[in-house]
Amino acid sequence: MARTHKKVRVLPKGKQKHTAASAAKGVEDAMRILEGRWKLVILFHLFGGNVRRFSELRRAIPAVSEKMLIQQLRQMERDGIVRRFVHPQVPPKVDYSLTDWGQALCPALDALLTWVDLKETLTEAPWIELRQAHSPLERGVVKNGVAL
């Protein structure tokens, strides 16, 4: 197969190219897995191979209720993101860590943080100036003694 440009290359076997519909479905599936107020916060506490006990997670995220933390951890365990290990002792000791698939989410969330930080560097000044220039006060529009 001939290339039109040296940067254009054939996709390796096994790599699929998404259509708009399949990409939307994939994003929808990812959002379903990550939906929940506390899941991303929990993930950040488990990134880097950290193994945390339930009580450590509870202390690290004081705003979450115990019930909600349990629910979110169980959902992530069911989805294959979090691994739960129960030690056979009394009282029970439970450790949580990320699966390999859960750890693979780290670069995507780092990219999300980079995107959020980008907002501070991109200024909205031209848009603000444009809105002000088109506002009734800036144009000096007055009707019945009231500026419009």
Side-chain angles (χ1 to χ4, degrees):
M1 176 181 274
R3 295 183 186 158
T4 57
H5 191 272
K6 62 183 177 183
K7 290 185 179 180
V8 177
R9 58 188 154 171
V10 179
L11 288 173
K13 289 183 181 179
K15 296 265 184 168
Q16 82 177 33
K17 194 173 187 178
H18 285 285
T19 64
S22 69
K25 175 75 170 114
V27 169
E28 185 179 327
D29 291 343
M31 296 306 293
R32 183 196 54 77
I33 291 170
L34 296 175
E35 75 181 346
R37 182 173 178 183
W38 302 105
K39 285 183 180 178
L40 295 177
V41 176
I42 294 167
L43 286 173
F44 277 107
H45 285 285
L46 294 175
F47 277 140
N50 290 333
V51 177
R52 297 281 180 108
R53 293 183 63 184
F54 178 82
S55 58
E56 291 174 322
L57 286 170
R58 180 75 176 94
R59 281 192 300 272
I61 314 167
V64 67
S65 69
E66 190 169 314
K67 177 185 175 189
M68 184 57 66
L69 182 58
I70 290 169
Q71 285 177 353
Q72 301 280 280
L73 284 165
R74 292 283 169 95
Q75 287 173 6
M76 289 192 294
E77 181 185 8
R78 183 192 68 227
D79 290 332
I81 297 173
V82 170
R83 179 181 304 113
R84 180 176 185 256
F85 182 76
V86 181
H87 296 274
Q89 67 183 42
V90 176
K93 177 182 171 186
V94 180
D95 289 334
Y96 291 94
S97 62
L98 292 177
T99 62
D100 291 339
W101 189 54
Q103 190 64 41
L105 188 57
C106 188
L109 293 180
D110 282 342
L112 192 61
L113 287 173
T114 302
W115 176 74
V116 169
D117 290 341
L118 188 62
K119 182 180 180 187
E120 294 175 9
T121 61
L122 297 176
T123 179
E124 290 188 14
W127 292 105
I128 292 170
E129 291 169 6
L130 182 64
R131 277 182 273 170
Q132 288 174 347
H134 292 291
S135 72
L137 291 176
E138 289 291 321
R139 292 187 310 236
V141 177
V142 178
K143 184 175 184 181
N144 296 334
V146 177
L148 300 177

